[in-house]
Amino acid sequence: MGWLGPAELEALRLSLRVSIWATLVSLPLGIFVAYALARWRFPGRQLLNGLVHLPLILPPVVTGYLLLLTFGIQGPLGRFLAEFGIVVAFRWTGAALAAGIMAFPLMVRAIRLSIEAVDPKLEQAGATLGASRMFVFATVTLPLILPGIIAGAILAFAKAMGEFGATITFVSNIPGQTQTLPSAVYSFLQVPGGEPAALRLVIISVIVAMTALLLSEYVGRRVARRVAGT
Amino acid sequence: MGWLGPAELEALRLSLRVSIWATLVSLPLGIFVAYALARWRFPGRQLLNGLVHLPLILPPVVTGYLLLLTFGIQGPLGRFLAEFGIVVAFRWTGAALAAGIMAFPLMVRAIRLSIEAVDPKLEQAGATLGASRMFVFATVTLPLILPGIIAGAILAFAKAMGEFGATITFVSNIPGQTQTLPSAVYSFLQVPGGEPAALRLVIISVIVAMTALLLSEYVGRRVARRVAGT
Amino acid sequence: MSLSVRLQQQLPGIALDLEFEAPPGVTVLFGRSGAGKTTVINAVAGLLRPQAGRVAVDDWVLFDTDQGSWLPTHRRRLGYIFQEGRLFPHLSVRQNLAYGRWFAPRGAQRESQDRVVEMLGIGHLLNRRPAMLSGGEKQRVAIGRALLAAPRLILADEPLAALDEARKAEILPYFERLRDEVSVPILYVTHSAAEVARLATSVVALQDGKVLRHGPASDVLADPSVAPAGVRAVGAVLQVQVAQHHADGLTELRAGDARLFLPRIPHQVGEHLRIRIPAQEVILSNKPPEGLSALNILSGTVEAVRAGEGPGAIVSVKTPAGVVLARVTRRSVEALGLELGQPCHAVIKTVALAPQDVGGRVAT
Amino acid sequence: MSLSVRLQQQLPGIALDLEFEAPPGVTVLFGRSGAGKTTVINAVAGLLRPQAGRVAVDDWVLFDTDQGSWLPTHRRRLGYIFQEGRLFPHLSVRQNLAYGRWFAPRGAQRESQDRVVEMLGIGHLLNRRPAMLSGGEKQRVAIGRALLAAPRLILADEPLAALDEARKAEILPYFERLRDEVSVPILYVTHSAAEVARLATSVVALQDGKVLRHGPASDVLADPSVAPAGVRAVGAVLQVQVAQHHADGLTELRAGDARLFLPRIPHQVGEHLRIRIPAQEVILSNKPPEGLSALNILSGTVEAVRAGEGPGAIVSVKTPAGVVLARVTRRSVEALGLELGQPCHAVIKTVALAPQDVGGRVAT
Amino acid sequence: EGILIFAAASLKTALDQIAADYSDQTGGEVTVSYAASSVLARQIQLGAPADLFISANVQWMDVLVRDGLVDASSRVDLLGNHLVLIGVPAQAEAQIDAALDLNARLDGGFLAMALVDAVPAGIYGKSALQELGLWADVEGRIAQSDNVRAALALVATGAAPLGIVYGSDALAESRVSVIGVFPSDSHPPIIYPAAATRDAAPQAFAFLTYLQTDTARAVFEAQGFTLPQG
Ligand SMILES: Nc1ncnc2c1ncn2[C@@H]1O[C@H](COP(=O)(O)OP(=O)(O)OP(=O)(O)O)[C@@H](O)[C@H]1O
Ligand SMILES: Nc1ncnc2c1ncn2[C@@H]1O[C@H](COP(=O)(O)OP(=O)(O)OP(=O)(O)O)[C@@H](O)[C@H]1O
Ligand SMILES: [Mg+2]
Ligand SMILES: [Mg+2]
């Protein structure tokens, strides 16, 4: 990677860290929300659904601004978290939060669709054998939706790798802290002669995201075949 | 709508036009690509898959820039289309093109997942009754994936409503031609004290996108119930 | 343990409204396609919440809409064999079989897995996935999975329909053993008259969501008005004991003071069994028959003559072996003068008593 | 039209390697669960591409791996009744039924939809979706859908397994009529001996992917070594004509120079039929029997005695009505001295000849 | 401990170099977060831990001064810039005055600018055109980008024949030529103000001073910036 300067390497490392954390931390919640939306009928279901989709609909800058207002140093949630020693403002954790939130709708949708494709009759069969809802979920539903979870997670990862607008608006563009690859690309594009450097970074991030996507296709297909037992 | 100035109304109307066209025009292609990715094995399949996902992975500005290079007045495809009298540069059609391309991966993924959930045994049953592949697709696969298509289309619409980075880079911001709601929001956010105006526009676009999403949930569920016959 | 069921449920096609008591043993639900059999079983399993009703095993209430009580499916300790298998596609056959064991209470009486596997002939399939099984293989695994869950209530929806005769003949005794040894109530749907006759302790005949007839198997089956099972299923059940195995491949049974021959059966000398003698296989004679190929001739007196709507009649003959039923034509009833108290001889072909009709062990 | 099949295919469990010719009429595939029956049918349908083989209807080649020819499924003009229904969930029953009609060539001989609907008893279901049907109802619709596609080749995989006896009895004649009137080859999988005996023109017995025995139904069924169908299915088929309907509910048949009585059947006087007389229902006597409830006594001479491995033997008796098979014990064979050329009397219970065993019209 | 500077994105090349020089000389560590002035100002409003703010326009600095978020006494007008009219190389150089026939030069094409009501370069450009009496001629032919670099890209790729950008931007782009420089009295002075924030670390003042040394100014000038008059 002699091709990349230390600052750029730093940005790549940070982007990977941010995206991986964003994906892993939001995954359990994503599965839970997807399941709730797919299988439960409860008041406020549509509200939850709308909320989940919000980051997809809003211009990223607006999402970033709203994050700044709520999770910023003076924001209500920001202050609340700070009491537990968790600071996200202007930290890489904040970048992960922004990326995670921006990727969340994609993750939830992918998982939800795969849950809806599971035949409830199989879950019923599990229940007749004595398995509680939780156990049926863990042993029947979860394995069957594994391909969907993988797809959703990788999609979220790819989206997180590319996230820019909300991140820079929320946690700024601080090298080593919050300067992810896309932010670095932005910085280069703002100055004369910065295009080659920007292009280099774009190629890097495309390679990373593509690798993840193709890998997920491959893994997803293998898992799907294992799951279908063919 | 006395609440909105004429320029803002114009932006809303334009956003709706751009998003609806982007969705409708890309839908047939989206279904085709989703089907090819889900059911066919051909060389270059992974390449196609990667290409489809590119807009998701690239920073929007980069996508916009690439669009400018290929579909711009001087771009090869731009000049090619111009021979047929189709000009997209600095036109609302260009905004629709950008929005459509940005939303395409989401649309394809949603439709693809729903195709993969269709039991090939039903398609086989159609074949034994004498239906060709095309006919089976039209009469069995298509109706069964209708909920997925609706979901994918609305998702694409919502995404198109919020698209900003690629659009402004590609077709700029020409009031009445390419100034969509998100561009207007961005403008307001650039100047001190512009927040209330920006908020107003954000609320409008959220209402539109949310209505579409909830409608799609509702229609999707009804269609799914009709399809499942329960 | 006995199962009591009361249900009311409005369906698009029919209105379900029924009530029956299933005594210990096998209660066969039968009725034409669409009569509501699967719906009843699903309600007992808790997969369907009926508009009104109550289901209880003794005084363990599974649900009671009057009291608003409802036990979720997984607490009902079921073994449900579905009409369509429903194996878990992502688990191997072995894992499918093991699924229910997780939840069986520690002390629960439980089948040995090896034994069930052997009986079902699925030993060579244990490492396969369901997608790689044939239709019948799937159903066999589904049966095994339900049985291994140590259920307190077995629900079986046409469990043997997809199986070949030979396999049926192997699995039927297993259900019989369950019926006779374990006190688990079994609710069993089948369209096969042979299975009804062989397994049923009691029979519930459904028609359009209502109970058409309900009672001990012998009563319901002997009733020609209950069309669905078919008159061919009518038969008498005799208590017998294995007396001797002969060298020419026949087994001799002691039935009361009489003897019966039938093709060799695998039971040990001295064992007590029940055998079903299909009414249809019995010929009556008013003279002691001679020179017939039939080895079993029981002499007795006519106890009852029931004429159906068709050309046939069911004649009960009291013999030293017990009461034997014979299905003959009304024309023969007149020709032979078969009246109450009249002495007569029942001729039963040896080969008509195939091993299939030999019931399992009887608690002595 | 006749169907020729040659296949080789390696499966995880078994190696399929077989060849057979299916003459016009119904060719029943049977064999134990997992023997490869569905696999064969799928290869004929083109749903599975075998490693090697050839399938043709007369000289219309469906595929031939030697020549590399392969007709896609939808050009094979099939009517495939699947083991698991496979109805289109998004279409109503009516639309499911109509699906195949789109593709039938203009001039194709085609069943009237009304007639099929009535026969299958699905008239009241036409506007429902498959999810609202019971298991048996689904299967009936699936049968209708296949039949209405005007197929040139019918594939049926246990089509009646999910149906009740009464419904089976209603649908079987329909397959018989297809067999007798339309020259479409029918490949039919079943585990029911009664269906085999009733429908089969020829029988292909499969075991572990190989053809165990193949030939006309009567030959294969009379062969005790072909275990799967069960010896109980052995029987003789007689050509008869309806002579008279009696007032007491019996129908009199002319069989050669002899007469047979059986419970009233719906056929018209003068009609030609085939009836199956199960070997098991026949008792032999070496003296003219008297005072028996059985109305049918055919006198003849012993033509052959085939002893199986068990205690039983099949005795062929040449009577004026045709050859009748009787299954008796070897002990009886000795006791009665049943040897070649020996005169004897075959006793057949009237009620044993139930309408189920009466075949459909015979082309005269 | 080092200091964190929030700086307008267009300063990146120059400021990176100056910060590196400064570190070499003093050992003091300087981290710079580059983003749009509006984004940075808003982050400071909401508690960002920045020590120094360098804005690309006066308004946002005024807002922060008004809110008491920056140390008003430390405020300096650090840099200035020219506004230039650029074109594809075929365009001849010309005097920028009221006689300029922009429409003839556009020849039906668009004039690329930054957002004329929101982004500083666009605001300056609009007032210059108004001052010169050219605005009415071209008002309907302006393609507005979200930042001045994107406007430059429109001209560089040939999508627009003319554009109005900063002199510092035009300098390094070989695909465009400068047609002429707008008279500095045709628009409000272009000023990059700098100030230490309310809670700035002491080193921030040192660096602010360093920015005004001749060494630093030389670097800015090499990148095409001018020094503030007076
Ligand atoms: N998709 C599959 N992949 C691999 N092996 C299979 C597959 N389907 C079936 N088999 C195996 O191939 C053999 C033949 O299966 P097939 O379905 O043809 O049996 P069958 O005769 O139809 O049985 P049944 O009467 O139980 O339906 C079986 O041993 C089965 O385990
Ligand atoms: N999910 C459903 N929704 C509405 N009606 C249904 C549903 N399932 C079945 N029915 C209808 O309810 C009636 C009873 O169905 P059920 O499945 O209990 O029949 P069954 O006795 O099990 O029949 P089979 O022997 O064919 O399996 C039928 O008339 C059927 O059409
Ligand atoms: Mg049922
Ligand atoms: Mg099969």
Side-chain angles (χ1 to χ4, degrees):
Chain A
M1 287 264 178
W3 207 44
L4 288 174
E8 295 165 357
L9 252 178
E10 177 78 49
L12 172 60
R13 243 197 313 261
L14 186 71
S15 265
L16 286 173
R17 175 149 42 125
V18 162
S19 305
I20 290 172
W21 274 89
T23 308
L24 291 186
V25 170
S26 60
L27 196 55
L29 185 66
I31 294 172
F32 177 80
V33 171
Y35 191 84
L37 290 176
R39 286 283 154 90
W40 297 341
R41 297 285 165 271
F42 53 95
R45 186 171 157 274
Q46 284 311 333
L47 196 76
L48 175 65
N49 187 34
L51 210 66
V52 165
H53 278 91
L54 214 50
L56 198 78
I57 294 164
L58 289 177
V61 183
V62 174
T63 306
Y65 184 48
L66 293 176
L67 283 176
L68 189 60
L69 285 174
T70 48
F71 284 95
I73 290 169
Q74 297 164 2
L77 280 174
R79 269 188 282 184
F80 176 76
L81 287 179
E83 304 222 335
F84 301 93
I86 304 172
V87 178
V88 292
F90 305 105
R91 300 276 174 86
W92 72 267
T93 44
L97 177 65
I101 283 180
M102 290 300 286
F104 201 62
L106 301 184
M107 179 189 275
V108 169
R109 285 192 76 94
I111 298 175
R112 178 179 168 182
L113 276 175
S114 67
I115 291 174
E116 282 169 351
V118 171
D119 190 349
K121 287 187 173 178
L122 289 178
E123 296 172 328
Q124 288 183 348
T128 67
L129 289 165
S132 65
R133 241 197 212 186
M134 271 305 296
F135 198 94
V136 167
F137 177 77
T139 58
V140 178
T141 320
L142 202 60
L144 288 174
I145 63 171
L146 211 54
I149 291 179
I150 293 173
I154 296 289
L155 187 63
F157 173 80
K159 171 77 191 169
M161 281 295 292
E163 214 303 301
F164 160 65
T167 308
I168 199 171
T169 310
F170 176 31
V171 290
S172 208
N173 183 3
I174 305 168
Q177 275 292 337
T178 62
Q179 185 174 63
T180 57
L181 275 186
S183 302
V185 168
Y186 166 83
S187 301
F188 281 121
L189 283 179
Q190 291 307 305
V191 294
E195 288 87 353
L199 185 66
R200 225 166 47 219
L201 293 185
V202 165
I203 290 172
I204 304 272
S205 78
V206 166
I207 288 174
V208 171
M210 278 293 164
T211 309
L213 270 175
L214 297 191
L215 212 76
S216 87
E217 284 282 326
Y218 176 75
V219 173
R221 254 207 324 281
R222 285 204 51 167
V223 170
R225 218 174 304 135
R226 262 187 55 95
V227 163
T230 46
Chain B
M1 287 266 177
W3 207 43
L4 288 174
E8 294 165 356
L9 250 179
E10 177 78 50
L12 171 62
R13 242 198 313 260
L14 187 70
S15 266
L16 285 174
R17 177 152 37 132
V18 162
S19 304
I20 288 171
W21 274 91
T23 308
L24 291 186
V25 171
S26 59
L27 196 56
L29 185 66
I31 294 173
F32 178 80
V33 170
Y35 191 83
L37 289 175
R39 286 283 154 90
W40 296 341
R41 296 287 166 268
F42 54 93
R45 184 170 159 276
Q46 284 311 332
L47 196 78
L48 175 64
N49 189 32
L51 211 67
V52 166
H53 279 91
L54 215 50
L56 199 76
I57 294 164
L58 288 176
V61 183
V62 175
T63 306
Y65 191 69
L66 292 176
L67 283 176
L68 189 61
L69 286 178
T70 47
F71 286 95
I73 291 170
Q74 303 292 328
L77 280 176
R79 266 187 285 184
F80 178 77
L81 287 180
E83 303 220 337
F84 300 94
I86 304 173
V87 178
V88 292
F90 302 114
R91 299 275 175 87
W92 71 267
T93 46
L97 177 65
I101 283 181
M102 291 300 286
F104 201 61
L106 300 184
M107 178 189 276
V108 169
R109 285 191 76 94
I111 298 175
R112 180 179 166 183
L113 276 176
S114 68
I115 291 175
E116 282 168 351
V118 171
D119 189 349
K121 286 187 172 176
L122 288 178
E123 296 172 330
Q124 287 182 350
T128 67
L129 289 165
S132 64
R133 242 197 211 185
M134 271 306 296
F135 199 93
V136 167
F137 177 78
T139 58
V140 178
T141 321
L142 203 60
L144 288 175
I145 63 172
L146 212 53
I149 291 179
I150 293 172
I154 297 289
L155 187 63
F157 173 80
K159 170 78 190 166
M161 282 293 293
E163 215 302 302
F164 162 63
T167 306
I168 197 166
T169 308
F170 175 33
V171 290
S172 227
N173 179 349
I174 302 164
Q177 274 292 333
T178 63
Q179 184 177 53
T180 56
L181 275 187
S183 301
V185 169
Y186 181 83
S187 301
F188 282 122
L189 283 180
Q190 290 306 305
V191 293
E195 289 90 348
L199 186 67
R200 220 167 51 219
L201 294 187
V202 165
I203 289 172
I204 303 276
S205 77
V206 166
I207 287 174
V208 171
M210 279 293 164
T211 309
L213 269 175
L214 296 193
L215 212 77
S216 87
E217 285 283 326
Y218 176 75
V219 173
R221 253 206 328 279
R222 284 204 52 164
V223 169
R225 216 174 307 135
R226 259 187 58 94
V227 162
T230 46
Chain C
M1 285 194 287
S2 88
L3 173 77
S4 68
V5 175
R6 178 166 54 78
L7 289 175
Q8 274 165 294
Q9 171 75 7
Q10 185 62 49
L11 288 170
I14 56 168
L16 215 67
D17 184 359
L18 49 82
E19 180 161 5
F20 63 86
E21 190 87 13
V26 174
T27 299
V28 167
L29 283 180
F30 77 64
R32 298 197 62 155
S33 163
K37 306 178 294 295
T38 300
T39 308
V40 170
I41 289 205
N42 278 343
V44 172
L47 299 180
L48 178 146
R49 203 167 187 142
Q51 279 142 3
R54 179 178 184 279
V55 168
V57 177
D58 287 345
D59 40 303
W60 180 43
V61 177
L62 300 186
F63 75 88
D64 186 341
T65 50
D66 289 347
Q67 289 177 21
S69 71
W70 178 263
L71 216 54
T73 300
H74 71 277
R75 295 217 184 290
R76 297 192 181 190
R77 302 276 316 277
L78 308 167
Y80 191 152
I81 302 155
F82 293 93
Q83 206 166 351
E84 356 75 63
R86 301 201 193 175
L87 297 182
F88 301 124
H90 59 297
L91 299 182
S92 68
V93 167
R94 189 191 307 283
Q95 292 166 319
N96 266 284
L97 290 174
Y99 196 88
R101 317 196 89 186
W102 292 78
F103 312 103
R106 280 292 152 92
Q109 186 176 348
R110 175 196 280 164
E111 292 301 317
S112 128
Q113 175 156 340
D114 291 347
R115 180 161 171 193
V116 169
V117 164
E118 196 198 348
M119 170 195 69
L120 296 164
I122 50 180
H124 61 296
L125 306 174
L126 288 178
N127 294 318
R128 291 215 213 145
R129 294 299 181 86
M132 312 272 261
L133 302 180
S134 76
E137 287 165 347
K138 278 184 197 133
Q139 194 61 15
R140 281 185 272 157
V141 176
I143 294 172
R145 184 178 66 171
L147 296 181
L148 288 170
R152 281 212 268 179
L153 176 59
I154 292 178
L155 307 172
D157 199 352
E158 307 188 28
L160 307 183
L163 303 185
D164 55 273
E165 296 286 338
R167 189 62 71 189
K168 270 181 198 159
E170 277 169 44
I171 298 178
L172 264 176
Y174 190 83
F175 278 102
E176 285 179 325
R177 206 174 60 70
L178 274 177
R179 174 193 66 195
D180 297 335
E181 289 182 9
V182 188
S183 62
V184 180
I186 302 175
L187 213 53
Y188 191 105
V189 173
T190 181
H191 290 128
S192 151
E195 282 170 46
V196 178
R198 177 96 180 266
L199 278 183
T201 314
S202 70
V203 172
V204 178
L206 292 185
Q207 191 165 44
D208 297 334
K210 312 276 182 299
V211 174
L212 180 67
R213 187 99 160 65
H214 171 212
S218 50
D219 286 10
V220 177
L221 292 180
D223 182 349
S225 74
V226 180
V231 273
R232 307 195 117 206
V234 177
V237 174
L238 300 183
Q239 303 284 339
V240 301
Q241 191 179 14
V242 179
Q244 197 183 339
H245 294 300
H246 290 273
D248 60 357
L250 296 181
T251 295
E252 186 181 337
L253 304 173
R254 214 187 326 276
D257 296 332
R259 301 159 137 221
L260 288 173
F261 291 89
L262 79 171
R264 166 81 50 97
I265 55 172
H267 305 263
Q268 305 212 332
V269 171
E271 250 184 78
H272 290 266
L273 305 171
R274 13 191 263 175
I275 61 169
R276 191 177 72 92
I277 301 182
Q280 160 143 293
E281 310 278 358
V282 178
I283 293 180
L284 296 180
S285 169
N286 54 8
K287 300 181 192 158
E290 274 171 50
L292 281 186
S293 61
L295 293 178
N296 300 309
I297 297 173
L298 298 170
S299 301
T301 52
V302 174
E303 203 187 49
V305 178
R306 278 192 282 181
E309 284 171 29
I314 303 280
V315 180
S316 313
V317 180
K318 190 178 177 120
T319 75
V323 174
V324 171
L325 298 180
R327 211 164 89 79
V328 299
T329 55
R330 292 209 309 253
R331 186 180 284 199
S332 297
V333 170
E334 280 164 34
L336 301 186
L338 296 172
E339 285 165 15
L340 232 71
Q342 174 84 20
C344 76
H345 309 269
V347 180
I348 307 159
K349 289 197 66 174
T350 313
V351 294
L353 297 177
Q356 259 191 68
D357 292 324
V358 178
R361 250 150 286 181
V362 179
T364 44
Chain D
M1 287 193 287
S2 88
L3 173 76
S4 67
V5 175
R6 179 165 53 77
L7 289 176
Q8 275 165 293
Q9 170 76 6
Q10 185 62 50
L11 288 171
I14 57 168
L16 216 69
D17 185 0
L18 50 81
E19 180 162 4
F20 64 86
E21 189 87 15
V26 174
T27 299
V28 167
L29 283 180
F30 76 66
R32 298 196 62 155
S33 165
K37 306 179 294 295
T38 301
T39 309
V40 170
I41 288 203
N42 278 344
V44 172
L47 299 180
L48 177 146
R49 205 167 186 143
Q51 279 140 5
R54 178 177 183 278
V55 167
V57 177
D58 290 346
D59 40 303
W60 180 44
V61 178
L62 299 187
F63 75 88
D64 186 342
T65 51
D66 290 347
Q67 291 176 22
S69 71
W70 178 263
L71 215 56
T73 299
H74 72 275
R75 295 218 183 290
R76 296 192 180 190
R77 303 275 317 277
L78 307 168
Y80 190 153
I81 303 155
F82 294 91
Q83 205 166 351
E84 357 73 62
R86 300 200 193 176
L87 298 181
F88 301 123
H90 59 296
L91 299 181
S92 68
V93 167
R94 190 191 306 281
Q95 291 165 321
N96 266 284
L97 289 174
Y99 195 89
R101 318 197 84 183
W102 292 78
F103 313 103
R106 281 292 153 93
Q109 187 175 347
R110 173 196 283 164
E111 292 301 317
S112 128
Q113 173 155 341
D114 291 346
R115 181 162 170 191
V116 169
V117 164
E118 195 196 348
M119 170 194 66
L120 295 165
I122 51 179
H124 61 297
L125 307 173
L126 288 178
N127 294 320
R128 290 213 215 149
R129 295 297 180 86
M132 312 273 259
L133 302 180
S134 77
E137 287 165 346
K138 278 184 196 135
Q139 194 61 14
R140 282 185 271 160
V141 176
I143 293 172
R145 184 178 67 170
L147 297 180
L148 287 170
R152 281 211 268 178
L153 176 60
I154 292 178
L155 307 173
D157 199 352
E158 307 188 28
L160 308 183
L163 303 184
D164 55 274
E165 297 287 337
R167 190 63 70 187
K168 272 182 196 158
E170 277 170 44
I171 298 178
L172 264 175
Y174 190 82
F175 277 101
E176 286 179 324
R177 206 175 60 71
L178 274 178
R179 174 193 67 196
D180 298 335
E181 288 182 9
V182 188
S183 61
V184 180
I186 302 174
L187 213 53
Y188 191 104
V189 173
T190 182
H191 290 128
S192 151
E195 282 170 46
V196 178
R198 177 97 180 265
L199 277 182
T201 313
S202 70
V203 173
V204 178
L206 293 186
Q207 191 165 45
D208 296 334
K210 313 277 181 296
V211 174
L212 179 68
R213 185 100 162 64
H214 172 210
S218 50
D219 285 11
V220 176
L221 291 181
D223 182 349
S225 72
V226 179
V231 275
R232 307 195 117 202
V234 176
V237 173
L238 299 182
Q239 301 285 340
V240 301
Q241 193 179 13
V242 179
Q244 198 183 339
H245 295 299
H246 290 273
D248 60 358
L250 296 182
T251 296
E252 184 181 339
L253 303 174
R254 215 185 327 277
D257 295 334
R259 298 159 139 220
L260 289 173
F261 290 90
L262 79 172
R264 166 82 49 100
I265 54 173
H267 305 264
Q268 305 215 329
V269 172
E271 248 184 79
H272 290 267
L273 306 172
R274 10 190 265 176
I275 60 169
R276 189 177 74 91
I277 301 181
Q280 158 141 298
E281 310 278 359
V282 178
I283 293 180
L284 297 181
S285 169
N286 54 7
K287 302 181 190 156
E290 273 172 53
L292 281 186
S293 61
L295 293 177
N296 301 307
I297 298 173
L298 297 169
S299 302
T301 52
V302 175
E303 201 187 48
V305 178
R306 276 191 282 181
E309 282 170 31
I314 303 278
V315 179
S316 312
V317 179
K318 189 175 175 121
T319 75
V323 174
V324 172
L325 299 180
R327 210 164 88 78
V328 297
T329 56
R330 291 206 310 251
R331 186 181 284 202
S332 297
V333 169
E334 279 163 36
L336 303 185
L338 296 172
E339 284 165 17
L340 232 72
Q342 176 83 19
C344 76
H345 309 270
V347 180
I348 307 159
K349 289 196 66 173
T350 312
V351 292
L353 297 176
Q356 260 190 65
D357 292 323
V358 178
R361 251 149 284 183
V362 180
T364 44
Chain E
E1 270 305 300
I3 54 170
L4 177 60
I5 298 172
F6 275 17
S10 52
L11 297 170
K12 177 177 167 65
T13 315
L15 203 54
D16 274 352
Q17 192 181 331
I18 293 167
D21 292 348
Y22 176 78
S23 291
D24 288 348
Q25 286 176 29
T26 66
E29 211 176 297
V30 177
T31 309
V32 192
S33 175
Y34 299 104
S37 304
S38 56
V39 167
L40 297 170
R42 226 176 247 114
Q43 288 173 345
I44 291 171
Q45 280 184 313
L46 292 168
D51 296 293
L52 202 63
F53 176 45
I54 309 176
S55 172
N57 69 3
V58 180
Q59 286 94 324
W60 278 110
M61 188 61 88
D62 291 345
V63 168
L64 294 186
V65 169
R66 186 197 68 206
D67 294 350
L69 291 165
V70 295
D71 178 352
S73 64
S74 68
R75 174 174 176 168
V76 294
D77 290 344
L78 189 60
L79 297 169
N81 214 331
H82 297 302
L83 207 58
V84 297
L85 179 69
I86 55 167
V88 287
Q91 297 266 358
E93 286 186 20
Q95 189 73 28
I96 309 290
D97 55 24
L100 187 67
D101 190 352
L102 276 177
N103 269 325
R105 284 175 174 263
L106 284 173
D107 190 24
F110 282 88
L111 173 63
M113 295 175 70
L115 287 164
V116 297
D117 295 319
V119 174
I123 297 171
Y124 294 133
K126 180 179 175 182
S127 65
L129 290 175
Q130 281 173 331
E131 179 70 23
L132 296 174
L134 301 172
W135 176 251
D137 295 346
V138 295
E139 193 179 351
R141 308 295 314 164
I142 297 175
Q144 308 174 40
S145 297
D146 56 326
N147 64 66
V148 69
R149 301 287 310 170
L152 179 69
L154 288 181
V155 181
T157 57
L162 298 178
I164 299 176
V165 300
Y166 290 129
S168 57
D169 291 310
L171 198 67
E173 177 53 79
S174 60
R175 289 173 295 174
V176 305
S177 58
V178 175
I179 294 168
V181 179
F182 282 88
S184 53
D185 58 359
S186 66
H187 54 82
I190 301 171
I191 290 169
Y192 292 70
T197 59
R198 192 179 55 193
D199 308 318
Q203 300 95 305
F205 295 93
F207 186 70
L208 186 54
T209 311
Y210 180 79
L211 285 176
Q212 296 166 72
T213 60
D214 287 343
T215 345
R217 284 180 163 168
V219 177
F220 281 127
E221 277 180 315
Q223 292 297 323
F225 293 100
T226 61
L227 301 179
Q229 291 87 344

